Amino acid sequence: MKADVLVIGAGAVGCSIARELTRYNLNVIVVDKNPDVGGLASKSNSAIIHTGYDASPGTLESELVVAANPMYDKIASELDVPFSRVGAILPAITDEQFELLPTLKEKAFKNRVYDIEYLTKEKVLEMEPNMTPEVRGALYIPRESIIDPFLLVVGYAENAVANGAQFLLNTEVTGIEIKDGRITGANTTKGFIEAKFIVNAAGLFCDQIASFVKKNDFFVNPRRGQFYILDKNTNCKTNHIILPIPTKLTKGKLMCPTTHGNMLIGPTAEDLEDKLDASTTKEGLQSIVADVKKMIPCVNMKDTITQFAGLRPNRNPEGLHIDAYDDVPNFVNISGVRSTGVTGSAAIGKYVIRLLQTMGMDAKPNLSFNPVRKSIPCFHEMDIHQKEEIIREDKLYAHVVCRCETITEGEIVRAIHSPIPAKTVDAIKRRLRAGMGRCQGGFCGPKVIEIIARELGIPQEAVVKDRIGSNMLEGKAK
Amino acid sequence: MFDVKCDVAVIGGGPAGLSAAMAAKESGAKNVMILERDKSMGGILQQCIHPGFGLAYFNEELTGPEYASRFFEKDKSLGVSFVPNTMVLNMEKNGTLICSNGEKGMMAVHAKSVVLAMGCRERTRAQIQIPGTRPAGIYTAGTAQRLINRQNEMVGKRIVILGSGDIGMIMARRLTLEGSKVVAVVEIMDYLAGLTRNKVQCLEDFSIPLYMSHTVTRIVGNNRVEGVYIAEVDEHMQSKKESEVFVECDTLLLSVGLIPENELTKAAEIAINPVTNGPEVNQYQQTSVESFFACGNVVHVNDLVDHVSMESEIAGTYAAKYALGQIEPEEGFVGCTPGANVRYICPQKIRLDAERKPVTLFFRAVRPQKNVRIIASCNGSTIYEKKAFKVNPGEMEKVTVDVAGFTDGQQLTIRIEEAV
Ligand SMILES: Cc1cc2nc3c(=O)[nH]c(=O)nc-3n(C[C@H](O)[C@H](O)[C@H](O)COP(=O)(O)OP(=O)(O)OC[C@H]3O[C@@H](n4cnc5c(N)ncnc54)[C@H](O)[C@@H]3O)c2cc1C
Ligand SMILES: Cc1cc2nc3c(=O)[nH]c(=O)nc-3n(C[C@H](O)[C@H](O)[C@H](O)COP(=O)(O)OP(=O)(O)OC[C@H]3O[C@@H](n4cnc5c(N)ncnc54)[C@H](O)[C@@H]3O)c2cc1C
């Protein structure tokens, strides 16, 4: 197999780069060790498209995040990704926080985020009736937005496939070959892939990939963030992203709506060593509720429907880096995409293309590039006439499989046969939210396993939840 | 859109729906239809292939499918129309039901009265807050039951069951018979959640250890479950760190309770009781919106299907009467409020009218108690009293009271006291 550019990692960063590359006549291959795109960090995060108001001014991260935010109106409409400019409120509750407001505003200006304003106590309570009455005032940042991060990645990836990229999933890079000072390709669990350029977008594992070309001047550890999701039916909701004012000690935990109408609270920030430890802890989960309650007192554990944790790739030494090297001239090394990579992905994609061009990548425009990608038609969002029409076209749309989120067999079958096929239970769940509702797959789980097995022509025991080895079933009953 | 009219529309073809449809037909409703999401009727009973059903209703021991098929055959002979593969998506207050149907596509059913019989769903891991990883191998007991009994698929080899609910205990036996090892059944309370008979027949007879006042504190494993931590809890339900032990297993089953399935009910603005999580009903199983009736697990979680059938017949009968305009004019209401050691009473209201038939009230205890007196009183004066050897939250109790002398605005209370 041969690639002009080989991208390692199918998270937000890798998939955005792949899509940008398909704007040119290039042979693009993306590899990922997971059975689905979506990355690791890219599927478990706060899902906020930041403005960059609180980045460290003058850094690459600030530059890219600030540049990326305005791109999302277009990206979301081209790729059919749920996205909403809900805006953020930073409530000042203590004296210390109140005194910090001007400093925060100043920092935002340094980052060239000028659309930020003060809110009076009355205004905050009008905008957010569930806010603690102790609030003294707030900052309002209208362009802070929410997105479905997973569908963003799927959108990038499927659009890249439609424009000629190739995705090799379940494929782990195990080494990089160098000959006469240049990379010739990568060894993978599925064989050798010849490549003119390699881009390292392996997130948490980017240090491992970098070490294959002897770049050992940094390492990455996971900084875990735990979350709770609240039921759609809770009365304890907010209209905006409620961001805590960062104190010297911690960035703090937020509360925000998701693009699907649930509420999200979290995350924690815990530095770990084990890169596989995406587990939640009692202490962590309790601290989320306790902290968020200080801003939104009605938050209650009883309303939670699920919990999860994500791992931020924390670079040591810190900071977002996109590096090219003299001694390995056809390698782009991305590291430290820690806390803003969903947002940053759009701008990182463009940045990496420019960098590759300066590195001698021969890129002619792909004249047939089509930026538009359509999602699977969503039954429960349709009006009655659209529902009638889709059922006429596809009978399977009349069969509701997930009753909490009203997801039909038609949608599941289409997801299994989409450009990036959803072959696992979690892959279906993330694309369609089947199993993400109140019963968390209790009712539709067995049916989803049945449908996957039928459509892929495999036994039900071979169906996995997520990764290889996460088989759902043990074998036939006696 | 495909439009249909009927007298009584029943949502859900489980035992509740089947019994309600039967009674509606027998009470003179002409056109009775059951709308069922599944491809066949029977509801949860289709996966309950163990015996233990019908002891009270038929005086014999049947399996779940046998029990359901008796009602199904009866309904068939009475001319009930079955409409399978039909999901009711929305319900309007005027009795219009918007459904998606496998053959006809979108369908609007216009009914004079509606019986809600949608059953319940199981509580999940998040609702009981178990931290840890999110591997494959965590199932609710009912899901595992469905996989084994309807899809012929095994969930795992070494199993821990959290919760002593009936489905969990029944699955402990089923999995053992299938050759799996059930390492432990763990219950956070100091009393059983399910029926004592299931503890004897499903756990003790198979030497499956049951740990009371214990809980699962953490789940371990990245791809598949590799084990769980189990700890004893103190009187405030907090786990005692020092008692925590690791138990190797590949599967965790949750049998931690059921929640009535009331999304449609809420959308139609029918009043929901915060304790049962089901619609509030009167003794005719009529909800706060008068053309809607409700029965079975959608109203309150039942442990015996026989009770479900009995209350569902009432729902069906009165839904038919309502459709035919035969319900007597209302003369007032008596509210039913739980007293000492009673969690809830169902029905929540007694409607007073010319009928004045005795009313059966179902209720559950808050905590186990031995040697008790069960007392029903109306505005302070005792109207019913019985002694019982014990009460258990896992076993529903019932009393039948005479309502002939009730007047509007009175309050009925049931309390459980120590017998002297
Ligand atoms: C708790 C938390 C909250 C966050 N909140 C936000 C937010 O609100 N807004 C925001 O913009 N950002 C947020 N982030 C940050 C954001 O999620 C990350 O910066 C971003 O997802 C990183 O994307 P990525 O593509 O670099 O990495 P990933 O998504 O981790 O993808 C890396 C991929 O590389 C693959 N890979 C690794 N090694 C190999 C190998 N050897 N061979 C093949 N494939 C390999 C992995 O399987 C993985 O799929 C948050 C992160 C966390 C954890
Ligand atoms: C796993 C399990 C084991 C049990 N074991 C025993 C036992 O051993 N002995 C005993 O006596 N009792 C047992 N019970 C209790 C008894 O079976 C239940 O109380 C009884 O099944 C409840 O009947 P139901 O009709 O209310 O609900 P269900 O049987 O759940 O039926 C509800 C029906 O409604 C349908 N439905 C729901 N929503 C919609 C919609 N929107 N549109 C169309 N259709 C819809 C569902 O598909 C389902 O078929 C058990 C219960 C469970 C859950």
Side-chain angles (χ1 to χ4, degrees), chain A residues 19 64 73 111 165 384 428 434 459:
Chain A
R19 177 179 188 240
L64 293 176
D73 301 282
N111 282 313
I384 212 133
I428 303 262

mmCIF file of all heavy atoms in Angstrom, chain A residues 19 64 73 111 165 384 428 434 459:
data_model
loop_
_atom_site.group_PDB
_atom_site.id
_atom_site.type_symbol
_atom_site.label_atom_id
_atom_site.label_comp_id
_atom_site.label_asym_id
_atom_site.label_seq_id
_atom_site.Cartn_x
_atom_site.Cartn_y
_atom_site.Cartn_z
ATOM 1 N N ARG A 19 -9.290 15.399 5.785
ATOM 2 C CA ARG A 19 -10.252 16.096 4.923
ATOM 3 C C ARG A 19 -9.562 17.232 4.178
ATOM 4 O O ARG A 19 -9.761 17.412 2.978
ATOM 5 C CB ARG A 19 -11.398 16.652 5.775
ATOM 6 C CG ARG A 19 -12.384 17.458 4.956
ATOM 7 C CD ARG A 19 -13.525 17.981 5.814
ATOM 8 N NE ARG A 19 -14.552 18.595 4.994
ATOM 9 C CZ ARG A 19 -14.928 19.879 5.103
ATOM 10 N NH1 ARG A 19 -14.357 20.667 5.998
ATOM 11 N NH2 ARG A 19 -15.874 20.351 4.324
ATOM 12 N N LEU A 64 -4.369 29.112 16.967
ATOM 13 C CA LEU A 64 -5.196 28.142 16.234
ATOM 14 C C LEU A 64 -6.633 28.092 16.756
ATOM 15 O O LEU A 64 -7.568 27.977 15.976
ATOM 16 C CB LEU A 64 -4.541 26.756 16.283
ATOM 17 C CG LEU A 64 -3.218 26.664 15.504
ATOM 18 C CD1 LEU A 64 -2.588 25.294 15.686
ATOM 19 C CD2 LEU A 64 -3.416 26.968 14.022
ATOM 20 N N ASP A 73 -19.319 27.537 11.755
ATOM 21 C CA ASP A 73 -20.644 27.692 11.148
ATOM 22 C C ASP A 73 -20.652 26.968 9.804
ATOM 23 O O ASP A 73 -21.575 26.224 9.473
ATOM 24 C CB ASP A 73 -20.974 29.174 10.963
ATOM 25 C CG ASP A 73 -20.958 29.910 12.294
ATOM 26 O OD1 ASP A 73 -21.936 29.775 13.043
ATOM 27 O OD2 ASP A 73 -19.935 30.565 12.598
ATOM 28 N N ASN A 111 -6.110 37.939 23.415
ATOM 29 C CA ASN A 111 -6.273 36.813 22.490
ATOM 30 C C ASN A 111 -7.121 37.201 21.269
ATOM 31 O O ASN A 111 -7.513 36.349 20.484
ATOM 32 C CB ASN A 111 -6.929 35.629 23.202
ATOM 33 C CG ASN A 111 -5.935 34.882 24.080
ATOM 34 O OD1 ASN A 111 -4.829 34.577 23.637
ATOM 35 N ND2 ASN A 111 -6.323 34.600 25.321
ATOM 36 N N ALA A 165 -10.028 9.745 0.279
ATOM 37 C CA ALA A 165 -9.121 9.218 1.303
ATOM 38 C C ALA A 165 -9.511 7.785 1.658
ATOM 39 O O ALA A 165 -10.637 7.353 1.441
ATOM 40 C CB ALA A 165 -9.163 10.091 2.555
ATOM 41 N N ILE A 384 -44.290 14.899 10.520
ATOM 42 C CA ILE A 384 -45.036 13.700 10.184
ATOM 43 C C ILE A 384 -44.980 13.355 8.687
ATOM 44 O O ILE A 384 -44.899 12.192 8.303
ATOM 45 C CB ILE A 384 -46.474 13.837 10.716
ATOM 46 C CG1 ILE A 384 -47.012 12.476 11.094
ATOM 47 C CG2 ILE A 384 -47.378 14.518 9.758
ATOM 48 C CD1 ILE A 384 -47.662 12.498 12.425
ATOM 49 N N ILE A 428 -22.388 2.453 16.639
ATOM 50 C CA ILE A 428 -23.801 2.752 16.340
ATOM 51 C C ILE A 428 -24.314 3.773 17.338
ATOM 52 O O ILE A 428 -24.965 4.749 16.987
ATOM 53 C CB ILE A 428 -24.661 1.473 16.484
ATOM 54 C CG1 ILE A 428 -24.149 0.379 15.582
ATOM 55 C CG2 ILE A 428 -26.140 1.780 16.300
ATOM 56 C CD1 ILE A 428 -24.836 0.217 14.299
ATOM 57 N N ALA A 434 -28.344 5.508 19.669
ATOM 58 C CA ALA A 434 -29.077 4.314 20.107
ATOM 59 C C ALA A 434 -28.392 3.787 21.354
ATOM 60 O O ALA A 434 -27.212 3.464 21.327
ATOM 61 C CB ALA A 434 -29.076 3.240 19.011
ATOM 62 N N PRO A 459 -21.446 -14.040 13.359
ATOM 63 C CA PRO A 459 -22.249 -14.506 14.494
ATOM 64 C C PRO A 459 -22.372 -13.412 15.557
ATOM 65 O O PRO A 459 -21.492 -12.547 15.651
ATOM 66 C CB PRO A 459 -21.454 -15.696 15.047
ATOM 67 C CG PRO A 459 -20.135 -15.680 14.390
ATOM 68 C CD PRO A 459 -20.168 -14.758 13.230
#
